[in-house]
Amino acid sequence: DGGITQSPKYLFRKEGQNVTLSCEQNLNHDAMYWYRQDPGQGLRLIYYSQIVNDFQKGDIAEGYSVSREKKESFPLTVTSAQKNPTAFYLCASGQGIVRMNTEAFFGQGTRLTVV
Amino acid sequence: DQQVKQNSPSLSVQEGRISILNCDYTNSMFDYFLWYKKYPAEGPTFLISISSIKDKNEDGRFTVFLNKSAKHLSLHIVPSQPGDSAVYFCAASAENYGGSQGNLIFGKGTKLSVKP
């Protein structure tokens, strides 16, 4: 079955630690995205990648880092520099390089809690 | 500055009636609009989309209307069912939006509750 998989579903992190969220897709999509959702907020773009070995900052990239070494994978690292990391993180992928004019496919999300 | 606005955080509708969810946008460069449905603790799923060359797109119980002059779109669900209860996000995309070509800009969402 084709799809996009995020793991883990729930993640707890101690303050001051880095943590990496996994995102894998087998849809053969060029573009992948990371969003963050907070209560009462829309989905805010953290980072995106439109092609392997290339990625760009979104609207709220501070305190996060990504890599895109493979087409299928786009892991997100939440670093200790992120001031408010507790949130619901969503990974998405889409067709095309330049324009995501079709729907984005989302993973099930990872709930990160800093303790 | 929010470019995609969903001004109603919540909406309650009786089963069988029409649900109308509204979305306004400010950037005239947006030319593709999408609606996503999201259940708690899950990723959003695509519902329906519309290109700026159209003013209406219909898919079963779901119809999206676009009014470009007013920079407004709406999602109509007829008839509403309890299973439609979810958060609905409006999203917009532009072929050229700064350096983020084609990226989706989301509204804050509207929580729809359909009562039996």
Side-chain angles (χ1 to χ4, degrees):
Chain A
D1 286 318
I4 181 164
T5 303
Q6 286 185 245
S7 60
K9 193 170 176 66
Y10 299 97
L11 191 55
F12 294 88
R13 187 196 91 177
K14 288 185 178 178
E15 209 167 326
Q17 288 181 337
N18 292 355
V19 64
T20 297
L21 282 61
S22 169
C23 179
E24 304 276 331
Q25 54 100 358
N26 59 5
L27 300 165
N28 201 34
H29 286 165
D30 288 307
M32 295 187 74
Y33 304 78
W34 274 104
Y35 290 91
R36 168 181 171 141
Q37 188 190 12
D38 296 284
Q41 298 270 356
L43 304 178
R44 294 185 290 168
L45 184 64
I46 304 172
Y47 266 98
Y48 65 100
S49 168
Q50 292 181 327
I51 198 167
V52 173
N53 292 323
D54 184 56
F55 49 84
Q56 305 294 331
K57 292 182 178 180
D59 300 319
I60 54 167
E62 187 176 349
Y64 299 98
S65 65
V66 293
S67 63
R68 188 84 188 276
E69 297 176 3
K70 298 186 299 181
K71 188 175 186 177
E72 304 80 24
S73 178
F74 191 41
L76 173 75
T77 297
V78 184
T79 75
S80 57
Q82 168 50 235
K83 296 283 187 276
N84 189 19
T86 295
F88 189 57
Y89 291 87
L90 286 158
C91 180
S93 68
Q95 290 177 327
I97 296 175
V98 172
R99 176 154 170 76
M100 194 165 79
N101 61 351
T102 57
E103 65 270 23
F105 292 81
F106 283 84
Q108 291 296 293
T110 294
R111 168 74 62 186
L112 173 65
T113 303
V114 174
V115 296
Chain B
D1 183 33
Q2 230 185 327
Q3 298 195 54
V4 177
K5 300 177 184 178
Q6 294 178 257
N7 292 319
S8 298
S10 63
L11 175 68
S12 184
V13 171
Q14 205 66 35
E15 181 179 5
R17 308 292 287 269
I18 184 171
S19 295
I20 301 177
L21 296 99
N22 293 305
C23 179
D24 297 292
Y25 61 96
T26 57
N27 190 339
S28 58
M29 294 179 70
F30 289 143
D31 56 3
Y32 194 74
F33 304 90
L34 307 91
W35 284 94
Y36 286 84
K37 177 180 179 180
K38 185 183 180 300
Y39 293 113
E42 292 185 10
T45 54
F46 170 74
L47 197 56
I48 193 169
S49 63
I50 188 166
S51 165
S52 60
I53 62 173
K54 295 185 174 182
D55 55 17
K56 177 182 174 181
N57 189 25
E58 192 172 353
D59 183 3
R61 297 186 296 113
F62 303 91
T63 303
V64 56
F65 295 92
L66 176 62
N67 182 336
K68 281 179 291 185
S69 61
K71 294 192 178 69
H72 176 84
L73 64 154
S74 60
L75 173 68
H76 293 211
I77 306 174
V78 183
S80 301
Q81 300 172 353
D84 296 330
S85 298
V87 176
Y88 289 79
F89 288 100
C90 171
S93 171
E95 186 170 5
N96 286 292
Y97 172 59
S100 312
Q101 290 177 327
N103 290 335
L104 293 176
I105 309 299
F106 285 87
K108 289 188 176 183
T110 296
K111 184 176 182 180
L112 173 66
S113 299
V114 180
K115 300 186 184 307

